[in-house]
Amino acid sequence: DAPTHKSVPHVKLLDFGLSSPEKPLYELKHNLSWGNSTKRLTLAEGGNLLLAFSQRESIVWDLDESPPREYRIQLDPYFQDAMFSADDRILLVADGDGVGFYDWSNNREVYRLSYPGVVRQIVMHPDGKHFATVNGNGTVYLLRNPPLPISRR
């Protein structure tokens, strides 16, 4: 089936031990604006959260719920990369101004770390207390996570 501009974008979740591509566990359909297709996917370390992000809006699915619950969030239109914090409560977003820390379940930015230039990539240290970024001029930063005011899901 070739997608057309009228088709609804979707993500199929498969359990390769139990499912086949013809019978996915879930088919997560997201109605993003036409021309606003998914730019990138990020899966939380524990596998329970999935982020699909596009130019104007993004969706986090909580895969622990059946069917998965959808959270729509607004991100900076110049974002480059994103990843979940070690405890999955915060979404770290690399964008045109630095790194935004989002309480994704409440659709709000709780902290911003500004940089000179566009931040291209962000990765979490295995200890969950530090993260690294690389900006547009190739500078790599290793930073400690700031204390954040966040709510529980």
Side-chain angles (χ1 to χ4, degrees):
D1 238 12
T4 68
H5 72 280
K6 293 181 181 178
S7 67
V8 175
H10 59 277
V11 175
K12 292 182 181 182
L13 298 180
L14 306 172
D15 179 339
F16 287 103
L18 302 173
S19 301
S20 69
E22 296 79 35
K23 293 188 97 177
L25 294 175
Y26 296 106
E27 196 160 346
L28 307 174
K29 295 189 178 188
H30 52 96
N31 231 343
L32 299 173
S33 310
W34 183 80
N36 193 27
S37 61
T38 299
K39 185 176 175 181
R40 201 161 182 162
L41 293 172
T42 296
L43 189 63
E45 178 108 5
N48 59 321
L49 299 171
L50 176 66
L51 167 70
F53 53 106
S54 66
Q55 193 66 27
R56 294 191 195 118
E57 68 180 341
S58 299
I59 301 169
V60 172
W61 284 286
D62 185 341
L63 304 177
D64 282 341
E65 298 190 27
S66 181
R69 184 171 175 190
E70 179 181 294
Y71 296 84
R72 288 185 178 262
I73 55 176
Q74 298 297 317
L75 300 176
D76 184 300
Y78 300 105
F79 67 79
Q80 302 291 313
D81 197 16
M83 69 174 309
F84 291 96
S85 63
D87 64 6
D88 297 337
R89 295 188 297 169
I90 293 292
L91 183 64
L92 287 75
V93 178
D95 60 34
D97 293 330
V99 178
F101 294 74
Y102 290 83
D103 177 351
W104 58 266
S105 65
N106 290 304
N107 190 22
R108 67 185 179 100
E109 186 177 73
V110 294
Y111 190 81
R112 173 150 291 277
L113 185 59
S114 295
Y115 280 82
V118 175
V119 177
R120 300 275 183 218
Q121 187 178 7
I122 186 166
V123 294
M124 184 66 64
H125 190 279
D127 71 7
K129 298 175 185 174
H130 299 85
F131 63 97
T133 65
V134 61
N135 75 358
N137 70 8
T139 304
V140 175
Y141 297 90
L142 179 60
L143 303 153
R144 186 184 318 262
N145 286 340
L148 301 171
I150 50 178
S151 61
R152 302 264 179 210
R153 279 193 280 166

